[in-house]
Amino acid sequence: MIVAVHPTALGPAAGGLRLWHYPDWRDGLTDALRLSTAMTAKFAVAGLPSGGGKAVVVLPEGTVPEPDRRRAVLDDVADTIESLGGAYATGPDVGTGSDDMAVIGRITPHVFCRPAHLGGSGDSSPHTARRSPRCAPSAGGCTAPSGWTDAGWPWPVWVGSARASPGCSPPRAPP
Ligand SMILES: NC(=O)c1ccc[n+]([C@@H]2O[C@H](COP(=O)([O-])OP(=O)(O)OC[C@H]3O[C@@H](n4cnc5c(N)ncnc54)[C@H](O)[C@@H]3O)[C@@H](O)[C@H]2O)c1
Ligand SMILES: CC(C)[C@H](N)C(=O)O
């Protein structure tokens, strides 16, 4: 398990927990460092007083942990986060979701996106899915064409459990 805390100058670090397969644990380390840096940029763009962070649990290729084992792993993650005393808070990411945050939240308060019925902010994936089509042109190095809307995407976008509405008309090519 790797927890990467980028800067905390503006506030405690936050970023999701990635539970994913890597050929080697060092690949997970590289991912955690890369993604924590990206979280810093995301918070800066949003004007939020947080630093970037990321947690990665490296699963061996081709393995799927049994429920008991998965639960034990989440407990270990929670213990580690709790030991950091609030310097880092986690949330969902690839391989984890709100229910996993509920498990972590039994051990540490430094977790977000727990299910709404437990008092958390709920699943972040619908919001992410809805906005992803808008971000895609920027990520590709071009700007969105004028008239681009959240619905202006010709194929469904999945993030976690959520699906963004497929577009009613295909986006035009960027100028
Ligand atoms: N879930 C959220 O609330 C949230 C919020 C912000 C950003 N994100 C970002 O959205 C992206 C997707 O996250 P998610 O929550 O949908 O994860 P998820 O675990 O629900 O889904 C990830 C999917 O990607 C597939 N995948 C992983 N590695 C792949 C590869 N190398 N090639 C092809 N497919 C691969 C997996 O099989 C899985 O179907 C991530 O980059 C995550 O950081 C998620
Ligand atoms: C929930 C949030 C931290 C998300 N995983 C992200 O990468 O932005």
Side-chain angles (χ1 to χ4, degrees):
M1 176 206 324
I2 297 145
V3 176
V5 173
H6 191 219
T8 54
L10 294 180
L17 167 62
R18 191 164 283 206
L19 190 72
W20 199 242
H21 308 94
Y22 296 88
D24 187 273
W25 72 267
R26 293 171 193 82
D27 299 309
L29 173 62
T30 301
D31 219 14
L33 295 173
R34 176 180 75 86
L35 293 163
S36 65
T37 308
M39 287 307 304
T40 301
K42 285 199 233 181
F43 286 126
V45 167
L48 294 172
S50 296
K54 209 81 180 187
V56 170
V57 171
V58 175
L59 300 176
E61 297 275 22
T63 63
V64 178
E66 295 296 323
D68 285 354
R69 179 77 180 137
R70 183 185 168 89
R71 169 81 183 219
V73 166
L74 292 173
D75 284 351
D76 284 350
V77 169
D79 284 337
T80 302
I81 291 170
E82 179 63 10
S83 76
L84 296 175
Y88 166 73
T90 202
D93 199 80
V94 173
T96 62
S98 289
D99 290 343
D100 299 316
M101 299 307 116
V103 172
I104 291 171
R106 294 174 51 143
I107 292 178
T108 180
H110 306 297
V111 60
F112 50 92
C113 297
R114 291 180 307 120
H117 71 270
L118 295 178
S121 57
D123 188 357
S124 53
S125 49
H127 309 288
T128 310
R130 193 164 54 83
R131 283 294 175 182
S132 292
R134 224 169 232 234
C135 298
S138 307
C142 56
T143 53
S146 63
W148 185 285
T149 67
D150 289 344
W153 193 251
W155 53 84
V157 175
W158 285 93
V159 177
S161 60
R163 189 178 110 152
S165 303
C168 49
S169 59
R172 285 168 283 145

